[in-house]
């Protein structure tokens, strides 16, 4: 099941993606339509839909139902009636890329792992460096932006790096996970481009808080994909291009610390809430970008993002 966030005059709308060509199926609208087909009065259906699909995006949806049980049943109903004409215009939105928002909404915590892959490709016969322990830091929630939005390069930075990564979205509230039980906390996955101003980090005593927190420095999407659609998150190809040139081509199999280990390490200190995001690091590559560049990134099974870099003046 793929879920996208579509900007509308009524706010961001969670939608099923990939079911109708060039369109998205509004989840709340589809729930209303299902109730109407079952004989429920429209006003009552609207009221019930707001309880089942609350405002607040994906975090609110996962807070209400971490397993997405009701939404999965609705998805099955939508699939069953795709060719029946039951879905009317109130259920459908066009899927223009520029209308897609950050599908993860505004989670309470966004953690970006650091040093989870080799920094560069090893030469033939070269010994790998000693394995580093887990690390990383928080990214400001205000940095999150949609998969086709502009990447705004701040005037105070001349060394902007973009790194395409696999990100994990949390389902149930989680603390003190172990490597054995951690994957049960994963609701699904999303492509995530973690952007950093390296020169700003150096100015800030090598702290990453401000350097990773600029507006548009957390690009995610185009969809949230439920965990059952990704059988092995440690066997996904990650690629990134700048102006059509391949800058990064690796696999999540190259992680030093797999997802369960990362989650166990992180939840030893933090309680993760439904909808929180853990971005798991980027394979070796070179992601420096400048205004005018077009950056394209892809995580296998999670879709493509594409962003034009502009000067944020």
């Amino acid at each position: 099941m793929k879920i996208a966030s579509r900007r509308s005059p009524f706010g961001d709308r969670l939608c099923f993606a990939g079911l109708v060509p060039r369109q998205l199926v509004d989840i709340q609208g589809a729930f209303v339509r299902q109730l109407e087909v079952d004989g429920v009065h429209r006003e009552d259906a609207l009221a019930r839909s707001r309880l089942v699909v609350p405002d607040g995006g994906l975090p609110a949806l996962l807070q209400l139902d971490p397993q997405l049980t009701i939404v999965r049943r609705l998805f099955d109903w939508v699939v069953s009636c795709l060719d029946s004409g039951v879905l009317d215009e109130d259920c459908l939105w066009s899927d223009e890329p520029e209308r897609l928002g950050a599908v993860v909404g505004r989670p309470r915590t966004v953690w970006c792992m650091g040093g989870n892959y080799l920094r560069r490709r090893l030469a033939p016969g070269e010994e790998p460096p000693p394995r580093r322990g887990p690390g990383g830091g928080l990214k400001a929630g205000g940095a999150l932006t949609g998969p086709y939005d502009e990447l705004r390069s701040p005037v105070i930075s001349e060394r902007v790096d973009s790194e395409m990564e696999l990100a994990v979205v949390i389902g149930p509230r989680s603390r003190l996970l172990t490597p054995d039980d951690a994957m049960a906390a994963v609701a699904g996955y999303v492509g995530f481009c973690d952007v950093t101003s390296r020169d700003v980090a150096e100015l800030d005593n090598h702290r990453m808080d401000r350097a990773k927190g600029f507006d548009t420095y957390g690009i995610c999407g185009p969809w949230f994909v439920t965990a059952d659609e990704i059988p092995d998150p440690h066997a996904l190809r990650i690629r990134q291009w700048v102006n059509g040139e391949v800058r990064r081509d690796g696999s999540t199999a190259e992680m030093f610390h797999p997802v369960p280990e990362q989650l166990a390490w992180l939840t030893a200190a933090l309680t993760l809430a439904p909808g929180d995001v853990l971005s798991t690091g980027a394979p070796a590559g070179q992601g420096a970008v400048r205004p005018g560049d077009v950056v394209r990134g892809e995580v296998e099974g999670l879709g493509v993002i594409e962003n034009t870099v502009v000067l944020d003046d």
Side-chain angles (χ1 to χ4, degrees):
M1 185 169 64
K2 297 180 177 67
I3 294 177
S5 177
R6 208 276 192 184
R7 294 170 177 138
S8 83
F10 314 106
D12 291 354
R13 308 286 294 187
L14 290 179
C15 301
F16 296 129
L19 295 180
V20 181
R22 297 178 298 281
Q23 290 186 305
L24 303 169
V25 180
D26 187 292
I27 293 177
Q28 195 175 84
F31 189 75
V32 170
R33 189 70 186 121
Q34 182 186 39
L35 292 176
E36 287 182 314
V37 169
D38 290 342
V40 178
H41 189 275
R42 182 168 180 80
E43 290 186 3
D44 292 336
L46 285 167
R48 286 174 60 180
S49 73
R50 295 187 187 103
L51 296 175
V52 173
V53 188
D55 294 334
L58 191 60
L61 193 64
L62 289 167
Q63 176 73 45
L64 183 69
D65 182 8
Q67 306 302 324
L68 297 177
T69 305
I70 297 174
V71 172
R72 288 178 188 275
R73 287 203 296 264
L74 178 63
F75 177 85
D76 291 340
W77 179 82
V78 169
V79 170
S80 73
C81 64
L82 284 176
D83 298 324
S84 66
V86 169
L87 298 177
D88 57 20
E89 61 182 14
D90 290 340
C91 302
L92 301 173
W93 296 100
S94 60
D95 68 349
E96 301 109 309
E98 65 274 11
R99 299 282 188 176
L100 298 180
V103 66
V104 297
R106 286 289 179 261
R108 191 184 69 171
T109 298
V110 180
W111 185 276
C112 295
M113 296 296 293
N116 199 31
Y117 291 80
L118 289 172
R119 293 185 180 276
R120 60 177 178 82
R121 297 293 177 192
L122 299 177
E126 183 180 3
E127 289 293 323
R131 174 173 150 165
R132 299 171 58 183
L138 293 166
K139 183 179 286 285
L144 298 177
T145 197
Y148 293 93
D149 291 346
E150 293 177 334
L151 169 52
R152 303 207 297 271
S153 178
V155 294
I156 65 171
S157 176
E158 295 184 355
R159 289 174 53 198
V160 178
D161 267 3
S162 65
E163 299 178 314
M164 194 64 198
E165 307 184 356
L166 167 71
V168 171
V169 180
I170 297 299
R173 184 177 180 86
S174 300
R175 179 75 197 279
L176 300 177
L177 296 171
T178 70
D180 292 333
D181 65 18
M183 294 306 290
V186 177
Y189 304 93
V190 67
F192 193 94
C193 187
D194 178 20
V195 185
T196 309
S197 282
R198 302 292 178 189
D199 49 352
V200 172
E202 290 179 4
L203 288 172
D204 292 353
N205 254 348
H206 300 285
R207 291 185 60 89
M208 289 292 186
D209 313 61
R210 196 164 67 119
K212 286 184 177 288
F214 288 96
D215 293 347
T216 75
Y217 269 29
I219 304 163
C220 57
W223 321 298
F224 161 80
V225 180
T226 50
D228 57 292
E229 299 260 337
I230 306 294
D232 185 359
H234 306 102
L236 304 177
R237 190 177 186 185
I238 299 179
R239 290 182 290 175
Q240 188 172 26
W241 300 260
V242 178
N243 301 326
E245 176 190 351
V246 177
R247 296 284 187 87
R248 201 177 305 277
D249 190 349
S251 169
T252 55
E254 301 167 29
M255 289 183 191
F256 292 147
H257 307 284
V259 170
E261 188 178 329
Q262 293 177 56
L263 288 171
W265 173 81
L266 187 57
T267 60
L270 305 182
T271 298
L272 296 179
D276 281 352
V277 175
L278 167 67
S279 197
T280 60
Q286 207 282 328
V289 297
R290 300 184 62 83
D293 288 344
V294 177
V295 186
R296 183 179 175 88
E298 178 182 26
V299 179
E300 182 181 353
L302 302 182
V304 173
I305 66 172
E306 185 170 294
N307 315 94
T308 299
V309 185
V310 300
L311 186 63
D312 189 11
D313 55 2

